[in-house]
């Protein structure tokens, strides 16, 4: 079968190492946004996405053309569905931009994280970390106990469905 598989693995690792050394002090790779997985099974999980949206770049004050030159991935097709995710990615971009050290000789930047040695990859310097939501505990009151939650949710669900019938019934009367 594939007897050269372990040797190719070593060769790929060595090539990545040489690429990082050749690009030094610039990091290898691009900064990627924190996005949620798609399906119902995994949508609570946060992972690295393909690239930042144009709205996120605009909010962070980065032009779409300059983003790729300073190591920021751009995805023109992705759309923001929530304000929270947009704010989190804008904050991620701002942290990155604060740490970029502009080099006068080359048009690209290098990253010096917390004054330590220059990092080889952006993924290592800026990992995507999921923040866990802490539940808010409240004491249950008598008003909460007496409220019929199922009935209230059904009424809210049926409200737009029955709106047309109620309007036509009001016209008849």
């Amino acid at each position: 079968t594939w007897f050269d598989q372990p040797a190719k693995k070593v060769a790929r690792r060595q090539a990545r190492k040489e690429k990082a050394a050749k690009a030094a002090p610039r990091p290898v790779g691009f900064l990627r946004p924190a996005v949620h997985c798609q399906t119902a099974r995994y949508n609570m999980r946060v992972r690295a996405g393909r690239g930042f949206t144009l709205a996120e770049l605009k909010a962070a004050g980065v032009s779409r053309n300059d983003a790729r030159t300073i190591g920021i991935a751009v995805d023109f097709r992705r759309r923001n569905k929530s304000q929270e995710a947009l704010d989190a990615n804008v904050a991620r971009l701002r942290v990155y931009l604060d740490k970029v050290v502009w080099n006068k000789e080359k048009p690209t930047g290098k990253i010096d994280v917390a004054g330590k040695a220059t990092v080889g990859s952006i993924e290592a310097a800026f990992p995507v970390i999921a923040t866990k939501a802490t539940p808010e505990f409240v004491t249950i009151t008598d008003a909460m106990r007496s409220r019929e939650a199922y009935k209230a949710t059904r009424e809210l669900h049926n409200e737009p469905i029955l709106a047309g019938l109620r309007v036509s019934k009001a016209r008849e009367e």
Side-chain angles (χ1 to χ4, degrees), residues 85-116:
L86 186 138
D87 293 339
N89 282 324
V90 168
R92 188 170 162 76
L93 276 169
R94 290 204 174 119
V95 167
Y96 174 78
L97 291 170
D98 288 342
K99 294 192 186 242
V100 170
V101 178
W102 301 107
N103 195 345
K104 298 293 180 191
E105 294 103 36
K106 297 177 186 175
T108 53
K110 73 172 187 177
I111 298 171
D112 187 27
V113 180
K116 296 177 184 169

Side-chain angles (χ1 to χ4, degrees), residues 75-87:
D75 187 2
F76 299 101
R77 296 168 296 180
R78 192 167 75 83
R79 296 187 310 267
N80 291 104
K81 291 185 178 178
S82 69
Q83 187 64 39
E84 292 84 3
L86 186 138
D87 293 339

